[in-house]
Amino acid sequence: MNHLPPKNKTLFWSCRYCFRIPDDYPLASAAPLLCAGITVYSPMIRHKMNQPGKSLGVIGLGGLGHMAVKFGKAFGLNVTVLSTSISKKQEALTLLGADKFVVSSDQEQMKAEAKSLDFIIDTAAGDHPFDPYMSLLKTGGVLVLVGFPSEVKFHPASLNIGMKTISGSITGALERLIKRDVRYRFVIDIENSLK
């Protein structure tokens, strides 16, 4: 579509996903769902991470991670936030409603959570080890990578023992996000950009 009617708040970000936002709905509230939201929602649905009572680990608590926690709780999952930053614990548990918070650099905390998660959504953009996170998955567990570390390395046993799956998804990713030039998210106001 080359143009949009002046009052139309339809946002397009790929051929597969096209939604109309009601005229009275604030763009600042809709934007997280259309970018960070769809980036985590799409693979969560694809991998059946919407089964109440199952357990979800969320690596990273930035723009993508906080949406993964919100969707996980809305789906009735037991959500564990995995972060290197203890400063995010209060936000994860109190504001977002996560069930647990694990400091991923603390080996004892990580060992205590071994084989406890059905799913992990990895939203971290920075480089990090994968084997410690893979050890948290139950048999048949799924780790979905939506962040952009520069490389992914893990021992084959981390994948093969326990029939685990690793998948990737980039729905909603933008060039500046890949370049790590965005902190949290952008709000794109199409209506005002057409003036």
Side-chain angles (χ1 to χ4, degrees):
M1 197 172 226
N2 293 336
H3 72 284
L4 296 173
K7 292 190 178 191
N8 190 332
K9 291 184 183 176
T10 304
L11 299 181
F12 298 90
W13 67 94
S14 87
C15 295
R16 270 185 81 190
Y17 300 100
C18 171
F19 295 93
R20 171 145 171 69
I21 302 191
D23 288 335
D24 61 345
Y25 197 81
L27 287 176
S29 297
L33 292 173
L34 294 176
C35 186
I38 197 64
T39 300
V40 296
Y41 179 84
S42 179
M44 288 177 83
I45 295 301
R46 185 177 333 116
H47 293 285
K48 299 179 178 24
M49 295 182 190
N50 59 348
Q51 303 170 51
K54 295 280 187 165
S55 54
L56 170 70
V58 178
I59 302 173
L61 195 61
L64 297 173
H66 94 278
M67 291 304 299
V69 172
K70 286 183 172 187
F71 281 126
K73 292 306 297 176
F75 293 146
L77 302 176
N78 296 312
V79 179
T80 299
V81 171
L82 305 159
S83 178
T84 58
S85 178
I86 188 71
S87 66
K88 295 184 179 182
K89 182 176 182 176
Q90 189 68 22
E91 176 185 358
L93 297 174
T94 306
L95 184 63
L96 299 176
D99 299 288
K100 290 183 187 175
F101 184 91
V102 174
V103 177
S104 56
S105 56
D106 183 325
Q107 291 182 3
E108 292 304 313
Q109 286 187 40
M110 291 291 280
K111 283 181 187 174
E113 298 302 318
K115 299 180 181 177
S116 67
L117 302 173
D118 296 293
F119 314 108
I120 295 176
I121 238 181
D122 185 346
T123 70
D127 290 340
H128 55 282
F130 282 80
D131 290 311
Y133 296 110
M134 295 296 289
S135 73
L136 303 182
L137 289 171
K138 295 177 181 178
T139 298
V142 177
L143 183 145
V144 176
L145 180 64
V146 295
F148 279 93
S150 66
E151 64 181 7
V152 175
K153 285 185 177 181
F154 56 89
H155 192 278
S158 292
L159 182 64
N160 295 340
I161 296 174
M163 302 178 296
K164 298 168 187 168
T165 301
I166 294 181
S167 180
S169 183
I170 60 168
T171 305
L174 302 172
E175 183 178 328
R176 286 189 64 192
L177 180 64
I178 294 168
K179 292 180 182 177
R180 298 183 190 172
D181 186 30
V182 176
R183 182 149 176 103
Y184 303 114
R185 74 183 59 84
F186 281 123
V187 175
I188 303 169
D189 184 347
I190 291 179
E191 181 177 6
N192 287 324
S193 70
L194 296 173
K195 293 180 181 176

